[in-house]
Amino acid sequence: MITLGIETSCDETAVALLDDDRILANMVYSQIEHARFGGVIPELASRAHLEKIDRLTATVLKKTSLSIDKCNLVAVTDSPGLAGALLVGVSFALGIHAQTGIPVTGINHLEGHICAIFLSRPDIPLPFLALVVSGGHTAMYRVDNVGKYSCLGQTVDDAAGEAFDKVGKMLGFPYPAGKAIEEEALRAGAGAGREAVFPVARLSGSPLDFSFSGLKTAVKYYVTEKGKDYSREHRPVICRAFQEAVVASLVNNCAAAAEKSGCKRIVLVGGVACNMRLREALQQRLGDGVCFPPPELCADNGAMIACAGFMRSKLNLLRPPHMDPGGTL
Ligand code: KG4
Ligand code: ZN
């Protein structure tokens, strides 16, 4: 079965073709238009998707030497995300349907992130716990099957990736800042001073929820108190201390969720799952039960959306797209 996957929920225009769960092509255009504004500008995102989606799809088809009529299904992200950005992808998918009659299914973006694991581990046993950790979301799900998810905990304020991006902005990194913070933290070196230490939030009433806004504020106070010159000079140590706090929060909650649910398999997905320190710390704490897709399948991409479409079609769970910018899983 050939599935075309389309993802335009935020600032990546992404298109992929799968043959069942095998990737034939997976292309992403990361919108550089937002960097100078320090964050995603919704109107710019919609315009950039509109400008790129047609050519990107043509390139994917050309790369695989397939024509559009060889596709059996078009899977498109329809929730959650920026309304105008989602609208571009959904309209484009419906345009393909109008022209060719190929069925179109709507996919929840978070389900797409979770399904990315089936591309690298098609044999992964169910159930598993999935930590979706990205720029817009931080949530833990118990996955009993494709289409059967229960949320065990989520952020009550900022997403982890959002905290990376906001702290990055304070420290003078361009948007998005996650990778740059990880690289800067490595420059602190193993033996370097540990004078910056930031708090790890623990929510007493709901121990599987996350909170990152206090951490962000703590970095802000630290930088303000120490001053610009000191903060510039000690940026690697600040980045390492911030990253350690985020990692500790995510790892603690994964360990608690594994304990509470009795499920020892943990899948880490979403853009922040590219972070090697997080991968290493999770494996150290939870061992062989931890797995993650390769980095290019953790960040937003079309293959994860196509994969969710393919998996849902096997279970007769296809549904027409319905735009829902605030939708949950
Ligand atoms: O999943 P994604 O591509 O888009 C959303 O659905 O949000 O995630 C993007 C987020 C950004 O906040 C970015 O800073 C973060 O993932 N990110 C990282 C790393 N690479 C990307 N955060 C920490 N360490 C990284 N290496
Ligand atoms: Zn995402």
Side-chain angles (χ1 to χ4, degrees), residues 8-9 46 49-50 76-78 81-94 323 325:
T8 64
S9 67
S46 322
H49 287 310
L50 205 53
V76 61
T77 307
D78 62 356
L82 301 170
L86 288 170
L87 189 60
V88 175
V90 170
S91 310
F92 186 73
L94 291 174
M323 286 267 307

Side-chain angles (χ1 to χ4, degrees), residues 53-103:
I53 187 127
D54 207 354
R55 188 119 36 98
L56 201 62
T57 307
T59 310
V60 161
L61 289 168
K62 196 168 168 206
K63 246 184 134 172
T64 54
S65 306
L66 286 174
S67 58
I68 189 73
D69 50 290
K70 292 285 180 290
C71 294
N72 307 104
L73 176 68
V74 178
V76 61
T77 307
D78 62 356
S79 66
L82 301 170
L86 288 170
L87 189 60
V88 175
V90 170
S91 310
F92 186 73
L94 291 174
I96 293 175
H97 171 72
Q99 212 179 1
T100 61
I102 300 166

Side-chain angles (χ1 to χ4, degrees), residues 87-232:
L87 189 60
V88 175
V90 170
S91 310
F92 186 73
L94 291 174
I96 293 175
H97 171 72
Q99 212 179 1
T100 61
I102 300 166
V104 178
T105 187
I107 299 292
N108 180 292
H109 182 78
L110 303 175
E111 178 171 38
H113 273 303
I114 292 171
C115 287
I117 195 63
F118 298 117
L119 293 167
S120 55
R121 290 280 308 272
D123 56 342
I124 187 169
L126 292 157
F128 57 78
L129 301 180
L131 177 64
V132 184
V133 63
S134 72
H137 304 273
T138 298
M140 173 107 61
Y141 298 93
R142 181 187 157 100
V143 180
D144 284 292
N145 202 348
V146 170
K148 280 191 83 179
Y149 312 102
S150 13
C151 184
L152 305 181
Q154 59 190 318
T155 182
V156 296
D157 40 55
D158 291 347
E162 189 180 356
F164 268 96
D165 296 335
K166 287 178 175 167
V167 164
K169 195 173 178 180
M170 281 176 220
L171 298 173
F173 293 109
Y175 172 88
K179 192 167 192 285
I181 289 187
E182 179 180 6
E183 288 169 356
E184 187 79 341
L186 284 175
R187 287 184 201 110
R194 292 195 166 266
E195 60 267 36
V197 176
F198 299 120
V200 180
R202 285 204 177 84
L203 301 170
S204 51
S206 45
L208 297 185
D209 280 344
F210 306 86
S211 167
F212 296 103
S213 72
L215 169 61
K216 185 185 67 187
T217 309
V219 178
K220 189 170 177 211
Y221 283 160
Y222 184 88
V223 169
T224 310
E225 191 194 312
K226 297 281 185 184
K228 266 193 184 150
D229 291 345
Y230 181 95
S231 301
R232 197 173 302 122

Side-chain angles (χ1 to χ4, degrees), residues 11 23 32 50 122 140 189 208 211 218 265 307 310 328:
D11 57 342
I23 299 176
I32 45 170
L50 205 53
M140 173 107 61
L208 297 185
S211 167
R265 245 181 315 280
C307 187
F310 165 66
T328 52

